[in-house]
């Protein structure tokens, strides 16, 4: 599987289960009969040839279940969080990315690897061709984490994020103008790039998706904070999310809270402690994206507060929040099982609407995605609507890495509702392969 081929979440999940089965089979064969079933939380004494198909295996009993969804969105769509306190951490014991990286590395061990492949048949799992989906996801997520959290990044990680080979990255070191990527030698003589420089260069690549935080957990937020109010506000916010830290009489618990929070953004405990407890001048505008992610704030809002507090004279001459990334509101509500699509003039004229692939992957059946020209259609699902008795039956047409659209045309539906640009179509999941289409005028 090459870096330009995005696997489905199901393919990544199958790879993970294959590794777990390989470990379990090794225990069953080399330790004692039944040890593998116990590790997989299967009924006692379940023989290997009766272990469930990958699609039927209950992964929710393992921490990897929630990790998988978070890291998939982060790796392939650059999303951090949709609800709750979700972050990315590469610690091998406590981190969502670290745990998956550790389990993926096991796949390279000889005996585990051989046992894993014993399960890749029509009775249990996918064709072996899909096996590298988990590895690709972990490598891409690790490269993105390096860009988001470190000061420098390797050429190989930049190549992963740009979806090109490393030779092309090396050629960019000798390019001219904005196409040039500035690198230098690290302490061990390897070529490295400052993350700020890597991000600048990557933004010029059409295959690159910058990391965005989806949702900001903001309620009753002040429009502006004074210099005296800003640091107490951040300290209070840290307390609210991490249950300790400031004012906690238990020093061990306070240290643990700082350490865990620091890991989420790739900082040391000391650096985070200094940033949040020292005077405002210790907080740099460059720190705002990571602090925003940690405290679930809008990056543009926090950056503006810091700049206004630290450089009030200069900010009077600048437009508020100019040039800063804003938090994106997600059209997908996973808890409610709905996705909202805003109609555009071109789509209304031609009878279609587009859905971002990063949301469609999590909302529609994984087998419903078909080719652009229809020579390899996906399996259809039903869209129940209010224009006629029978539902629409359609698969999803993959138009690009970023967009899909239902193959069914909706010209008559748009006409019946006098659709205009800005109107919203809400799709609500009502069953495994059934959805309700709801028209919502602007």
């Amino acid at each position: 599987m090459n870096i330009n081929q995005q696997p489905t979440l199901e393919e990544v999940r199958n790879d993970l289960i294959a590794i777990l089965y390989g470990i379990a089979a090794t225990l069953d064969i080399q330790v004692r009969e039944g040890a593998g079933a116990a590790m997989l939380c299967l009924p006692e004494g379940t023989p290997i040839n009766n272990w469930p198909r990958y699609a039927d295996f209950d992964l929710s009993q393992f921490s990897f279940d929630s990790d998988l969804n978070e890291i998939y969105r982060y790796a392939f769509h650059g999303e951090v969080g949709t609800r709750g306190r979700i972050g990315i951490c590469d610690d091998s014991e406590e981190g969502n990315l670290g745990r998956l990286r550790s389990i993926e590395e096991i796949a390279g061990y000889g005996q585990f690897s051989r046992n894993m492949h014993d399960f890749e048949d029509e009775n249990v799992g996918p064709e072996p061709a899909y096996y590298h989906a988990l590895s690709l996801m972990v490598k891409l997520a690790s490269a993105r984490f390096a860009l988001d959290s470190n000061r420098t990044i390797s050429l190989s990680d930049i190549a992963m994020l740009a979806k090109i080979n490393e030779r092309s990255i090396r050629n960019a070191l000798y390019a001219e103008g904005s196409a040039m990527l500035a690198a230098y030698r690290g302490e061990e003589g390897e070529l490295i790039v400052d993350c700020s420089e890597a991000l600048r260069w990557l933004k010029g690549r059409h295959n690159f998706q910058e990391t965005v935080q989806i949702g900001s957990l903001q309620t009753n937020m002040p429009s502006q904070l004074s210099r005296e109010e800003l640091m107490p506000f951040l300290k209070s916010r840290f307390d609210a999310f991490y249950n300790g830290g400031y004012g906690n009489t238990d020093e061990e618990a306070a240290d643990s809270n700082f350490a865990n929070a620091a890991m989420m953004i790739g900082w040391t405990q000391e650096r985070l402690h200094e940033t949040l407890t020292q005077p405002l001048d210790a907080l740099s505008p460059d720190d705002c994206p990571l602090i925003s992610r940690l405290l679930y704030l809008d990056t543009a809002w926090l950056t503006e507060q810091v700049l206004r507090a630290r450089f009030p004279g200069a900010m009077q001459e600048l437009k508020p929040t100019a040039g800063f990334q804003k938090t994106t509101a997600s059209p997908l509500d996973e808890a409610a099982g709905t996705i909202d699509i805003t109609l555009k003039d071109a789509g209304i004229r031609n009878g279609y609407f587009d859905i971002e692939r990063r949301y469609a992957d999590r909302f529609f059946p994984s087998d419903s995605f078909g080719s652009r020209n229809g020579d390899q259609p996906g399996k259809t699902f039903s869209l129940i609507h209010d224009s006629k008795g029978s539902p629409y039956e359609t698969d999803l047409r993959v138009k690009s890495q970023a967009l899909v659209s239902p193959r069914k045309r909706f010209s008559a539906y748009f006409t019946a509702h006098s659709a205009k640009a800005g109107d919203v179509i809400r799709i609500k999941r009502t069953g495994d392969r059934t959805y309700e289409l709801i028209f919502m005028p602007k």
Side-chain angles (χ1 to χ4, degrees), residues 234-265:
L234 296 180
K235 293 175 183 179
S236 174
R237 187 122 178 139
F238 184 92
D239 276 338
F241 282 121
Y242 300 99
N243 301 317
Y246 306 101
N248 193 321
T249 56
D250 186 342
E251 293 185 5
E252 184 176 349
D255 286 344
S256 176
N257 287 326
F258 268 108
N260 291 334
M263 281 196 303
M264 290 176 62
I265 57 173

Side-chain angles (χ1 to χ4, degrees), residues 337-353:
T338 62
I339 186 169
D340 292 348
I341 297 97
T342 303
L343 298 179
K344 300 178 180 179
D345 282 327
I348 295 170
R349 285 196 306 271
N350 294 287
Y352 72 89
F353 53 84

Side-chain angles (χ1 to χ4, degrees), residues 143-325:
R144 184 177 292 280
F145 187 77
L147 179 69
D148 292 340
S149 305
N150 297 343
R151 293 296 184 186
T152 62
I153 186 171
S154 68
L155 299 188
S156 59
D157 281 346
I158 297 174
M160 283 294 300
L161 293 167
K163 297 182 174 64
I164 57 178
N165 59 48
E166 192 171 335
R167 178 181 294 180
S168 298
I169 297 294
R170 291 182 179 276
N171 290 340
L173 304 182
Y174 303 99
E176 296 181 354
S178 61
M180 185 188 75
L181 180 65
Y184 58 93
R185 296 285 177 184
E187 293 181 357
E188 299 181 3
E190 77 283 15
L191 281 170
I192 55 176
V193 178
D194 284 334
C195 286
S196 57
E197 164 66 5
L199 180 59
R200 177 202 65 79
W201 186 85
L202 283 165
K203 285 181 177 180
R205 307 288 308 184
H206 73 278
N207 283 333
F208 173 68
Q209 290 178 299
E210 188 174 359
T211 301
V212 295
Q213 181 171 300
I214 305 298
S216 59
L217 298 185
Q218 299 182 99
T219 56
N220 301 320
M221 288 291 295
S223 59
Q224 189 169 324
L225 293 171
S226 68
R227 179 182 176 89
E228 292 73 25
E229 294 171 330
L230 182 54
M231 294 312 296
F233 170 82
L234 296 180
K235 293 175 183 179
S236 174
R237 187 122 178 139
F238 184 92
D239 276 338
F241 282 121
Y242 300 99
N243 301 317
Y246 306 101
N248 193 321
T249 56
D250 186 342
E251 293 185 5
E252 184 176 349
D255 286 344
S256 176
N257 287 326
F258 268 108
N260 291 334
M263 281 196 303
M264 290 176 62
I265 57 173
W267 281 12
T268 63
Q269 178 181 345
E270 293 73 20
R271 181 182 176 191
L272 179 61
H273 188 278
E274 179 181 350
T275 300
L276 292 180
T277 59
Q278 297 300 311
L280 175 62
D281 290 346
L283 180 59
S284 165
D286 292 337
D287 298 331
C288 288
L290 291 180
I291 295 296
S292 296
R293 180 182 302 171
L294 185 69
L295 301 183
Y296 286 84
L297 294 167
D298 184 271
T299 302
W301 178 87
L302 179 59
T303 306
E304 181 179 336
Q305 306 310 309
V306 172
L307 289 174
R308 287 186 180 281
R310 291 193 57 186
F311 313 106
M315 283 300 292
Q316 290 179 358
E317 302 176 8
L318 297 176
K319 293 182 178 180
T321 68
F324 299 118
Q325 180 183 350

Side-chain angles (χ1 to χ4, degrees), residues 77-93:
H77 303 304
E79 291 183 1
V80 179
T82 54
R83 63 183 187 272
R85 192 168 71 239
I86 301 173
I88 306 299
C89 177
D90 68 347
D91 181 82
S92 60
E93 295 182 5

